[in-house]
Amino acid sequence: MTQQSRADGFDMAQLSRLPPPSEGPLQVGVGIQINQITGVNQQEENFGVVGTLVMQLNLPRLAFADDDSTQDYRRYRPDEFVELATEQGITLPAFLLQNQQGRRFVQQAIVMLQSDGNAAYVERFSATLQAPHFNFRRYPFDKQTFYVEISSLFPRNFVEFFPLEDQSGLGGLLGEEEWVLYGAQMETKFVTGFTGLETSQIALRFEGRRHIVFYVLRLMLPLMIILMVSWATFFLQEYRRRIDMASANLLVFVAFNFAISTTLPKLGYLTFIDSLLVGMFVITGSMVLVNIALRRLKINDREALARKIDRYLVVWIYPAIHAGFLFWAVKFYLI
């Protein structure tokens, strides 16, 4: 319930020398609910969330069932509850968001203590979380895995986390229009903590895929039209006019590439859509050179050879090059 490096008066570096509690590690239930996704930054490989964190634990020494109170619960601010627990000699669980970048902003936080000693810490927070496992090779047909990881600052012989499945998952109004998010599930494991000892870690894991319709209409369809126009120039009999149209189509392709460049992730490796753009740019540019070469053959009184080459280009070579390149791109990136 606190995320300080010195928790309840104990230096974290000294925890390895402390004897474990005689009653065993404190069992802490953890629930993580994602209420909003504020953004997914592909270049910096992180994403922003607004979420709700719930921690439940039993502290029998704080039970008040035998006193004169008529209420079966009490409400505390986190700092008030830490002070109450410290007076009773109780060490509360300390935690951090393992993949957090920058500060975590706590919007609201409260502790509810029931008369039997069961306590629940509820916090609404916003944070930017690192996602180092993002891989965009299949972009825009990629699927990504998102994690919200919470680690205990105490070794596992002091504190152990277990999932609260009914209080974890994704909200119904995430506010993220680019991604379809699904498959939320809680995962627990033990990792090496700050003390050098095994530490309990719990994470909410969920998947995401893109809305494909946008990319089909804004990227794939215009690209196919540009390629069809390039192929259509071969049906013109006048080579000089072919050169003009092929050059104009190449300029359209360049303008299209600049127009969509802001929507593409800037990465150190090529994605599926990058390979398509590069390959189709090379093929479209080669059309200008091919038509210039055919024009030169005609000028040099070798028009019959030019027409023969032209027929093979229209019927076999040009379609085969595009089909072969598309087959390679799909097999290499998507399969």
Side-chain angles (χ1 to χ4, degrees), residues 233-247 287-288 290-299 302-311 313:
T233 59
F234 285 116
F235 291 94
L236 294 175
Q237 296 299 316
E238 178 55 50
Y239 294 123
R240 186 160 47 187
R241 185 162 297 183
R242 282 190 188 183
I243 296 172
D244 293 339
M245 288 192 63
S247 300
M287 295 301 98
V288 180
V290 168
N291 284 308
I292 291 175
L294 294 176
R295 170 69 178 169
R296 293 290 299 175
L297 288 175
K298 181 178 180 181
I299 293 175
R302 304 182 66 182
E303 186 173 359
L305 177 60
R307 296 298 179 188
K308 184 177 181 180
I309 295 175
D310 206 6
R311 285 194 298 272
L313 285 172

Side-chain angles (χ1 to χ4, degrees), residues 216-252:
V216 170
L217 296 179
R218 298 297 299 272
L219 294 180
M220 302 298 180
L221 183 60
L223 184 61
M224 291 301 298
I225 292 175
I226 291 173
L227 295 178
M228 291 297 294
V229 171
S230 297
W231 181 60
T233 59
F234 285 116
F235 291 94
L236 294 175
Q237 296 299 316
E238 178 55 50
Y239 294 123
R240 186 160 47 187
R241 185 162 297 183
R242 282 190 188 183
I243 296 172
D244 293 339
M245 288 192 63
S247 300
N249 198 48
L250 182 61
L251 293 177
V252 170

Side-chain angles (χ1 to χ4, degrees), residues 100-120:
Q100 173 182 325
Q101 290 184 340
R103 294 187 59 188
R104 180 174 105 251
F105 296 94
V106 179
Q107 301 173 2
Q108 295 289 338
I110 192 173
V111 178
M112 302 295 293
L113 177 64
Q114 296 180 354
S115 58
D116 58 0
N118 286 319

Side-chain angles (χ1 to χ4, degrees), residues 1-7 12 30 32 53 55 93-102 104 121 123 125 127 129 148-154 159 161 191-195 199-203:
M1 295 180 186
T2 176
Q3 54 176 350
Q4 300 174 2
S5 61
R6 298 177 62 88
M12 297 304 297
V30 179
I32 307 171
L53 171 64
M55 286 189 166
F95 70 92
L96 56 79
L97 283 173
Q98 184 66 32
N99 57 333
Q100 173 182 325
Q101 290 184 340
R104 180 174 105 251
Y121 171 75
E123 170 192 305
F125 68 92
L129 304 178
V148 182
E149 298 173 328
I150 293 180
S151 294
S152 171
L153 294 180
F154 292 91
V159 174
F161 291 154
V191 298
T192 302
F194 291 99
T195 61
T199 300
S200 184
Q201 184 181 96
I202 195 165

Side-chain angles (χ1 to χ4, degrees), residues 209-222:
R209 58 177 175 81
R210 302 175 191 271
H211 290 283
I212 298 299
V213 175
F214 170 82
Y215 296 95
V216 170
L217 296 179
R218 298 297 299 272
L219 294 180
M220 302 298 180
L221 183 60

Side-chain angles (χ1 to χ4, degrees), residues 31-35 50-53 125 166-172 204:
I32 307 171
Q33 177 81 23
I34 301 301
N35 306 117
V50 177
T52 301
L53 171 64
F125 68 92
D166 58 337
Q167 300 193 50
S168 304
L170 301 174
L204 176 67

